[in-house]
């Protein structure tokens, strides 16, 4: 949810004030503002309320912007100060900027004001965070010194020349260690034996040159006793190190005792290796047999599936004969089903991957209703065959959820297939979606699959999510399966940060619910219409109509233009092209597109400058712009957003992802032009 914008407006003209507020409400739905006209009311407003930005006319009766800026400086508050005037000259504007104003906007170009406010509010936040960091650093340094002083180890600072600079700790052993001499101002070689000094110099130079902590052990003879020490050397300045010396004599004695005990234990373990080697050999053999079986099954399953997918592809491309629309849709269903079956085979046969939890997610913003509808298509034939009633309960508005679309589809098909499998003829299956908002986060999406099947006994609930386990042998004979389906469901959902719940009653039915978290930046919007049980991103090619969304594609690379434009046209979008930044600005004014896809690296003027110029035109101020760049360097996204982009993608771009983003912004733009 967008934070409210709190504006303090220094303006004597009610009409001008309303114009400014009206312009700001285009970008800020939650706008809080107060108008002041004198130095007194300004001081009161600054003292009584927190403000995000101050917008000031340059000249008021008895008051002006320089005086207001001086009051702000005296208050000690860091609030962005923007001058809005219709008469300010360049010299006055420069003087205001030198005096500390953050920006100025002419009243005949108020369209630039929201972006200026966003930039300055963001910069003010950054300054505040930097100040907090500096305070925290000072406090941390003080705390660190206090901690160091309390550590019982011997600690002292030594310069790069080997001269002691400071004793950090007041340890009782210090006098014994240096034999009553104050080490400050003396060299290492003057206080310790030659061999010990040589090691200290060596590790000190390593710490200074590498910047890494150096750790070594040494032995010293003190009053006839052998003392074991651990020495840590760390770079504490450009030309000094910190030595930390700890007495580890007791630890070394214990280590020697443990070493003796370990030797005895190793001797006992070696005597039993009766049996462990034989067991390991049997396990290795069993694993090898399992791998060989899985490899064989992989080949046997993939061979016929390859033929199915090859024939389906040939039929779709008209290799064998032209298909009518109904036949083409049937072949497409076969192709999708075969592709999904291949995905399932990959998961089932790759046991090491499943058991180790090494499935990698490829998450993108996904519309849930089309995904659920597409999943229903995979079980519709079995539903019709068993005369099962299939009901859906889908809300009219839902947030897009950032998920791995293929994996969640796999989850839904698993749950729906189980429901069909265990529901007798004439039964009922319901797929229900519910969004539950939350004050702590962005809410949770609940997707439930209910059936009127045989149900699950309470004593069998704990077996549901165990690999290769079905709830009893009788079911194994009647209902075939690997026993991996629900294991995959649980692991995939948990990888998304969600969880699975189950309720069931024998003879009544079961309900499996997956609960997925919604991301903070996704926004609720009406779901697009669903055609032929497919998701929006997988719709068959649509005819281009006059009412189809118009996309302005800005790119100077022929290969990029060809691939993106062909894909978008096939998805039903109208296109106009621009090959340099100047053409983009001109085409945007002429064609009034629903969305602009803007390459950042272009000739004449680059994409960033083109976006800035587009945003200067009031009629184009709200047109969505999606920026594309092949650089993908740190800060690129921020620069694109600051220049006027609504969103950002780095190349190479997945065209399905791009189409999903375009459609989302088209929907928003048409609902809120």
């Amino acid at each position: 949810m967008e934070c409210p914008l709190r504006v303090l407006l220094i303006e004597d003209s009610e009409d001008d004030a309303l114009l400014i507020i009206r312009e700001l409400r285009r970008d800020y739905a939650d706008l809080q503002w107060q108008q002041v006209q004198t130095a007194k009311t300004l001081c009161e407003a600054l003292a009584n309320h927190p403000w995000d930005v101050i917008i000031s006319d340059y000249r008021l009766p008895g008051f002006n912007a320089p005086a207001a800026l001086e009051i702000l400086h005296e208050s000690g508050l860091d609030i962005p100060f923007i001058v809005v005037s219709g008469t300010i000259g360049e010299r006055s504007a420069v003087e205001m900027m030198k005096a500390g104003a953050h920006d100025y906007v002419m009243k005949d170009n108020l369209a630039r004001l929201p972006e200026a406010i966003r930039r300055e509010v963001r910069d003010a936040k950054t300054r505040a965070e930097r100040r907090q960091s500096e305070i925290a650093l000072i406090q941390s340094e003080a705390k660190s010194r206090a901690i160091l002083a309390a550590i019982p180890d011997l600690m002292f600072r030594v310069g790069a020349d080997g001269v002691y600079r400071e004793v950090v700790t007041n340890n009782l052993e210090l006098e014994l260690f240096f034999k009553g001499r104050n080490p400050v101002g003396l060299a290492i070689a003057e206080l310790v034996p030659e061999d010990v000094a040589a090691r200290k110099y060596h590790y000190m130079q390593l710490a200074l040159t590498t910047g890494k902590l150096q750790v070594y052990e040494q032995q010293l003879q003190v009053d006839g006793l052998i003392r074991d020490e651990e020495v840590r050397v760390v770079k504490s300045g450009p030309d000094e190190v910190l030595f930390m010396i700890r007495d580890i004599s007791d630890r070394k004695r214990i280590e020697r005792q443990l070493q003796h005990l370990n030797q005895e234990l190793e001797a006992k373990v070696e005597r039993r290796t009766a049996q462990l080697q034989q067991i390991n050999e049997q396990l290795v053999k069993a694993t090898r047999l399992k791998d060989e079986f899985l490899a064989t099954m992989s080949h046997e399953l993939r061979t016929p599936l390859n033929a199915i997918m090859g024939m389906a592809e040939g039929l779709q491309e008209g290799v064998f004969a032209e298909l009518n629309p109904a036949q083409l849709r049937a072949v497409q269903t076969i192709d999708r089903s075969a592709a999904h079956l291949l995905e399932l085979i990959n998961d089932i046969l790759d046991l090491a991957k499943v058991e180790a939890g090494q499935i990698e997610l490829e998450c993108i913003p996904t519309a849930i209703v089309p995904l659920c509808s597409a999943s229903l298509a995979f079980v519709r034939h079995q539903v019709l065959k068993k005369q099962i009633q299939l009901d859906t309960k889908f809300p009219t508005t839902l947030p897009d959820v950032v998920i791995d679309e293929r994996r969640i589809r796999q989850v839904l098909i698993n749950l729906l297939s189980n429901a069909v499998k265990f529901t007798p003829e004439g039964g009922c299956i319901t797929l229900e979606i519910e969004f539950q908002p939350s004050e702590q986060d962005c809410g949770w999406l609940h997707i439930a699959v209910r059936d009127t099947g045989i149900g699950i006994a309470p004593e069998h609930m704990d077996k549901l999510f165990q690999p290769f386990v079905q709830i009893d042998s009788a079911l194994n004979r009647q209902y075939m399966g690997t026993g991996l389906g629900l294991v995959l469901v649980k692991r995939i959902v948990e990888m998304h940060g969600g969880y699975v719940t189950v309720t069931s009653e024998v003879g009544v039915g079961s309900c499996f619910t997956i609960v997925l978290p919604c991301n903070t930046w996704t926004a609720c919007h009406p779901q697009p219409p669903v055609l032929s049980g497919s998701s929006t991103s997988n719709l068959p090619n649509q005819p281009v109509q006059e009412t189809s969304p118009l996309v302005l594609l800005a790119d100077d690379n022929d290969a990029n233009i060809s691939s993106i434009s062909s894909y978008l046209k096939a998805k039903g979008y109208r296109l106009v092209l621009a090959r340099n930044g100047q053409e983009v600005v001109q085409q945007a004014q002429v064609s009034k597109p629903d969305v602009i896809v803007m390459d950042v690296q272009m000739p004449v003027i680059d994409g960033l400058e083109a976006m800035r110029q587009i945003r200067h035109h009031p009629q184009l101020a709200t047109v969505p712009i999606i920026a594309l760049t092949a650089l993908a360097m740190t800060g690129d996204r921020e620069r694109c957003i600051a220049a006027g982009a609504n969103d950002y993608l780095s190349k190479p771009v997945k065209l399905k992802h791009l189409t999903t983003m375009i459609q989302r912004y088209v929907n928003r733009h048409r609902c809120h032009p």
Side-chain angles (χ1 to χ4, degrees):
M1 180 179 294
E2 185 182 71
C3 295
L5 181 69
R6 298 161 298 191
V7 178
L8 180 57
L9 183 58
I10 306 174
E11 176 62 70
D12 62 319
S13 170
E14 296 295 335
D15 290 340
D16 287 349
L18 291 176
L19 281 175
I20 293 172
I21 296 304
R22 185 183 306 157
E23 185 65 36
L24 293 183
R25 288 196 188 279
R26 296 176 185 270
D27 285 55
Y28 299 95
D30 190 355
L31 182 66
Q32 302 172 11
W33 63 285
Q34 179 180 342
Q35 182 178 355
V36 299
Q37 302 181 22
T38 65
K40 179 181 178 181
T41 54
L42 172 61
C43 293
E44 293 173 350
L46 290 175
N48 297 330
H49 300 284
W51 302 103
D52 295 313
V53 65
I54 297 175
I55 300 175
S56 176
D57 194 0
Y58 183 74
R59 185 174 291 105
L60 293 81
F63 196 38
N64 57 24
L69 185 59
E70 182 65 25
I71 292 174
L72 175 62
H73 288 163
E74 291 175 355
S75 71
L77 299 173
D78 184 7
I79 303 174
F81 191 96
I82 299 177
V83 179
V84 175
S85 175
T87 60
I88 186 173
E90 182 178 351
R91 181 176 180 181
S92 298
V94 170
E95 290 177 353
M96 285 299 299
M97 297 296 286
K98 289 182 177 179
H102 295 85
D103 205 345
Y104 69 91
V105 176
M106 303 304 293
K107 288 186 177 179
D108 59 357
N109 190 20
L110 289 179
R112 196 175 75 83
L113 183 58
E115 177 57 34
I117 290 176
R118 275 193 294 271
R119 182 184 65 250
E120 297 305 331
V121 169
R122 183 171 61 248
D123 290 347
K125 181 179 179 182
T126 300
R127 292 194 298 272
E129 292 173 349
R130 187 182 300 116
R131 286 194 297 272
Q132 289 297 322
S133 298
E134 291 171 353
I135 294 173
L137 179 61
I138 293 172
Q139 294 173 343
S140 175
E141 290 177 346
K143 183 178 179 181
S144 298
R145 280 201 160 275
I147 292 174
L148 288 175
I151 293 176
D153 294 352
L154 295 175
M155 287 193 291
F156 34 82
R157 294 167 47 229
V158 179
D161 55 0
V163 175
Y164 290 93
R165 293 182 175 179
E166 178 190 6
V167 176
V168 180
T169 52
N170 240 341
N171 194 292
L172 294 177
E173 297 177 336
L174 189 64
E175 185 174 345
L176 177 66
F177 190 82
F178 290 111
K179 297 181 179 180
R181 301 174 68 184
N182 185 355
V184 177
L186 299 178
I188 292 176
E190 298 179 65
L191 296 170
V192 296
E194 184 178 350
D195 59 333
V196 176
R199 296 192 75 193
K200 286 184 180 293
Y201 280 120
H202 172 71
Y203 286 103
M204 180 178 69
Q205 292 302 321
L206 284 179
L208 287 171
T209 55
T210 67
K212 296 181 179 179
L213 172 68
Q214 305 295 319
V215 182
Y216 69 96
E217 295 180 0
Q218 66 183 16
Q219 280 189 341
L220 289 179
Q221 188 169 3
V222 181
D223 292 341
L225 298 177
I226 299 297
R227 171 188 169 106
D228 291 298
E229 295 179 339
E230 179 186 78
V231 183
R232 293 173 174 263
V233 191
V234 63
K235 185 176 182 179
S236 56
D239 64 341
E240 72 169 30
V241 297
L242 179 69
F243 274 91
M244 295 169 281
I245 300 177
R246 176 174 298 179
D247 184 358
I248 57 171
S249 301
D250 291 340
R251 191 185 81 188
K252 283 295 183 180
R253 183 174 62 256
I254 293 172
E255 286 178 356
R256 288 189 288 269
Q257 293 173 351
L258 287 175
Q259 184 178 10
H260 178 69
L261 292 175
N262 284 336
Q263 290 173 348
E264 292 182 351
L265 181 61
E266 288 173 0
K268 292 180 181 179
V269 171
E270 188 175 355
R271 289 192 294 268
R272 299 179 182 229
T273 53
Q275 182 180 0
L276 291 177
Q277 286 179 348
Q278 292 176 355
I279 293 174
N280 286 336
E281 290 173 358
Q282 293 172 358
L283 289 174
V284 169
K285 182 179 179 181
T287 301
R288 186 177 67 253
L289 291 174
K290 180 195 71 174
D291 292 341
E292 291 174 356
F293 169 76
L294 291 176
T296 301
M297 288 303 298
S298 174
H299 178 268
E300 294 301 319
L301 289 171
R302 292 171 191 268
T303 299
L305 187 59
N306 181 68
I308 294 172
M309 297 181 71
M311 294 292 284
E313 183 178 0
L315 287 169
Q316 290 182 85
E317 295 181 1
V319 173
F320 305 104
E322 291 295 328
L323 303 182
N324 62 41
Q327 292 170 332
L328 182 59
R329 287 194 295 272
V331 173
Q332 289 172 341
T333 301
I334 293 173
D335 191 38
R336 289 195 302 270
S337 300
H340 184 70
L341 179 58
L342 179 60
E343 295 168 1
L344 294 178
I345 290 171
N346 290 337
D347 287 337
I348 293 172
L349 296 179
D350 193 0
L351 284 179
K353 182 178 179 181
V354 174
E355 292 171 354
Q358 294 176 347
I359 298 175
E360 295 183 358
L361 299 183
E362 297 180 2
C363 295
I364 60 172
T366 303
I368 293 300
V369 169
L371 175 60
C372 290
S373 299
S375 302
L376 289 171
F378 286 96
V379 299
R380 202 173 298 278
H381 176 72
Q382 297 94 315
V383 167
L384 294 174
K385 185 177 180 180
K386 296 182 70 172
Q387 297 181 340
I388 294 174
Q389 179 181 345
L390 185 59
D391 295 331
T392 59
K393 296 181 180 179
F394 298 163
T396 56
T397 59
L398 281 174
D400 282 359
V401 183
V402 178
I403 57 173
D404 186 318
E405 181 178 347
R406 179 170 69 88
R407 294 295 182 183
I408 296 300
R409 182 172 68 248
Q410 179 180 347
V411 165
L412 295 174
I413 292 173
N414 260 317
L415 295 180
L416 289 167
S417 298
N418 278 351
V420 174
K421 182 189 298 185
F422 297 113
T423 299
E425 292 188 2
C428 178
I429 295 175
T430 303
L431 178 60
E432 181 177 357
I433 308 174
E434 180 184 1
F435 173 64
Q436 292 189 357
S438 171
E439 295 182 357
Q440 288 75 28
D441 45 50
C442 287
W444 296 81
L445 197 70
H446 294 242
I447 306 177
V449 178
R450 295 187 176 86
D451 63 59
T452 57
I454 60 176
I456 306 167
E459 62 269 21
H460 292 147
M461 282 290 193
D462 59 349
K463 300 178 182 178
L464 286 176
F465 300 102
Q466 296 181 18
F468 303 106
V469 175
Q470 291 191 337
I471 58 177
D472 65 38
S473 58
L475 287 180
N476 268 336
R477 289 192 294 270
Q478 185 176 357
Y479 304 102
M480 302 303 293
T482 64
L484 274 180
L486 290 179
V487 178
L488 291 171
V489 166
K490 183 173 185 291
R491 293 195 180 177
I492 290 172
V493 171
E494 288 176 348
M495 289 175 69
H496 283 80
Y499 57 92
V500 183
T501 64
V502 185
T503 58
S504 185
E505 184 177 349
V506 175
V508 177
S510 305
C511 177
F512 286 79
T513 303
I514 64 171
V515 184
L516 299 170
C518 296
N519 285 57
T520 56
W521 60 269
T522 57
C524 291
H525 59 79
Q527 296 292 321
V530 180
L531 303 177
S532 304
S534 297
S535 68
T536 304
S537 58
N538 291 327
L539 286 176
N541 295 346
Q542 302 296 314
V544 177
Q545 302 176 1
E546 287 300 321
T547 58
S548 298
L550 179 62
V551 178
L552 171 53
L553 175 60
D555 204 312
D556 65 321
N557 184 281
D558 290 336
N560 289 341
I561 292 173
S562 176
S563 61
I564 297 177
S565 62
S566 297
Y567 192 86
L568 293 180
K569 287 179 181 178
K571 296 302 178 183
Y573 294 94
R574 295 180 295 138
L575 260 76
V576 291
L577 301 177
R579 293 180 177 271
N580 61 60
Q582 190 62 50
E583 286 185 14
V584 180
V585 179
Q586 296 169 353
Q587 282 283 11
Q589 297 176 66
V590 174
S591 59
K592 304 296 191 299
D594 292 290
V595 67
I596 300 173
V597 179
M598 176 84 73
D599 186 34
V600 173
Q601 292 82 32
M602 286 192 299
V604 185
I605 62 173
D606 61 32
L608 296 177
E609 179 59 27
M611 286 188 282
R612 295 188 191 99
Q613 293 188 20
I614 287 172
R615 291 307 187 209
H616 283 321
H617 295 276
Q619 68 273 26
L620 300 176
T622 61
V623 175
I625 300 178
I626 300 173
L628 305 181
T629 176
L631 296 179
M633 302 296 288
T634 302
D636 278 355
R637 178 183 181 87
E638 290 72 18
R639 283 190 287 271
C640 290
I641 300 300
N646 297 83
D647 223 320
Y648 163 95
L649 289 174
S650 59
K651 296 180 181 179
V653 177
K654 290 189 175 181
L655 295 180
K656 183 170 68 173
H657 188 179
L658 175 61
T659 306
T660 301
M661 184 178 289
I662 288 174
Q663 189 59 47
R664 182 167 70 247
Y665 280 109
V666 166
N667 291 341
R668 293 180 184 175
H669 183 55
R670 289 189 168 184
C671 293
H672 305 285

